[in-house]
Amino acid sequence: MRRGGDLAVAALAAIVAVPLALLIALLLRCTTGGPVLQRLTRTGRYGREFQILRFRTGDGGRFAALLRRTGLDELPRLWNVARGEMGVIGPRPASPDQAVRYSRRERGRLAVRPGLTGWAQLHALSRGRNPRPLSRPEWAELDLWYVEHRSLRLDLRILGLTVLAALPGPDARRTHRVGPQPPR
């Protein structure tokens, strides 16, 4: 998805996200008493560092755990999309200490903006509850497969599958097949 598509999706999401984010911020402030946002340094396109935003959930009890489990702790990342530091679809943003350890091939992940969701995240979600997590090389290969095959059609597919995975229901995430695995 290109910049215009990212902005359109972010603007549509903001209609629901802004009131929800304000409510979450208020509830976090009441339950934790501290700052509601956390800034983390991440590596973006071309290796440029930026500050990613998320709700601070480290010591927020049950409500914070709910935010982490549902992914709502990452809602402020829409601001990173609006600023152009992230896209809607792309590899997961890496911390600088991870990015410096990338192999020459893995550095290809930095050719595109990191995303809110992506091909590797969908593969991880499609494994169901308590799966064996993806290894770093598996995650890297899925991200690189996306970078090499990205297109509007693939981005729309990832976006649609992400929406389906976010729907409530028993094992909703496992019921949606992601698609082809990259070559090994």
Side-chain angles (χ1 to χ4, degrees), residues 20-36:
L20 182 58
L22 291 172
L23 177 63
I24 290 170
L26 177 67
L27 291 170
L28 274 175
R29 183 69 173 187
C30 291
T31 58
T32 65
V36 296

Side-chain angles (χ1 to χ4, degrees), residues 143-154:
D143 280 342
L144 290 167
W145 186 90
Y146 168 77
V147 170
E148 294 164 2
H149 294 89
R150 72 189 180 117
S151 65
L152 179 59
R153 182 177 177 189
L154 179 59

